[in-house]
Amino acid sequence: FEVTPAPVVRARAEYEESFANTFLSESARALNLPVPRLPSDSGYLAFQAADSLTLRGTVLSPSVSGGRGSAIDISTPRDIVINATGKSAGAGVVTLSAPVLNSFGAESLVIGGRRVRGEDGTTLVVRTGNITVDNAGTVLSAPDLVLAANNNLVIAGGARIASGGML
């Protein structure tokens, strides 16, 4: 075999280069379809818990190549309490800390269900019965924030939720 520098190869033949990020986004726009998640975008992370869930550590959500940020889903059949400290809200309840959730830096955060992508689009499968947001003193925020419960969504006095930014 022969190792040849790129300029020599290009002089021998004509090549048309295509890049997935450009091709997929331009094709979607030409067909009047939503632009799908691209190779330059961050990934999808799903936390699915049966009985308990402890979130510690770091999630690297921003795209390293200028694409869209991560999509994170947190799903459990247990009731969920989101507070400012992460201190347990009692037996049989999954307690989440608003500052920890914020630290993930997710572009899209779903709490209480999970996204299922299919041929006809994305469906949200809701598993949680009840969500209580009781995070006085701390804002729970993400550019795209979805709280989904089958029964009740309770926003306690003094709780703060914010959704905004670029998608």
Side-chain angles (χ1 to χ4, degrees):
F1 68 89
E2 177 183 3
V3 177
T4 307
V8 173
V9 172
R10 290 186 197 293
R12 293 180 181 170
E14 185 177 321
Y15 295 94
E16 184 177 328
E17 295 179 346
S18 295
F19 298 94
N21 290 312
T22 304
F23 176 79
L24 294 172
S25 60
E26 288 176 358
S27 296
R29 286 185 189 101
L31 295 170
N32 204 24
L33 296 171
V35 176
R37 294 200 63 89
L38 302 171
S40 63
D41 296 337
S42 288
Y44 169 70
L45 175 62
F47 294 104
Q48 297 188 73
D51 293 318
S52 65
L53 176 66
T54 302
L55 297 176
R56 294 190 182 130
T58 304
V59 175
L60 302 175
S61 290
S63 170
V64 295
S65 57
R68 295 178 58 190
S70 68
I72 298 175
D73 296 351
I74 300 173
S75 176
T76 177
R78 299 285 186 178
D79 289 348
I80 295 175
V81 172
I82 302 166
N83 62 28
T85 64
K87 185 177 177 185
S88 176
V93 176
V94 169
T95 304
L96 303 173
S97 162
V100 169
L101 296 173
N102 293 341
S103 75
F104 291 165
E107 179 183 279
S108 180
L109 178 62
V110 171
I111 300 172
R114 64 180 177 83
R115 289 169 256 227
V116 177
R117 289 175 176 81
E119 208 172 279
D120 296 327
T122 302
T123 303
L124 183 62
V125 177
V126 180
R127 293 181 63 214
T128 299
N130 303 291
I131 295 178
T132 300
V133 180
D134 190 4
N135 62 334
T138 303
V139 178
L140 172 63
S141 73
D144 177 36
L145 177 61
V146 177
L147 302 173
N150 285 315
N151 300 319
N152 297 299
L153 174 58
V154 177
I155 310 299
R160 296 181 57 205
I161 301 170
S163 181
M166 297 292 292
L167 290 179

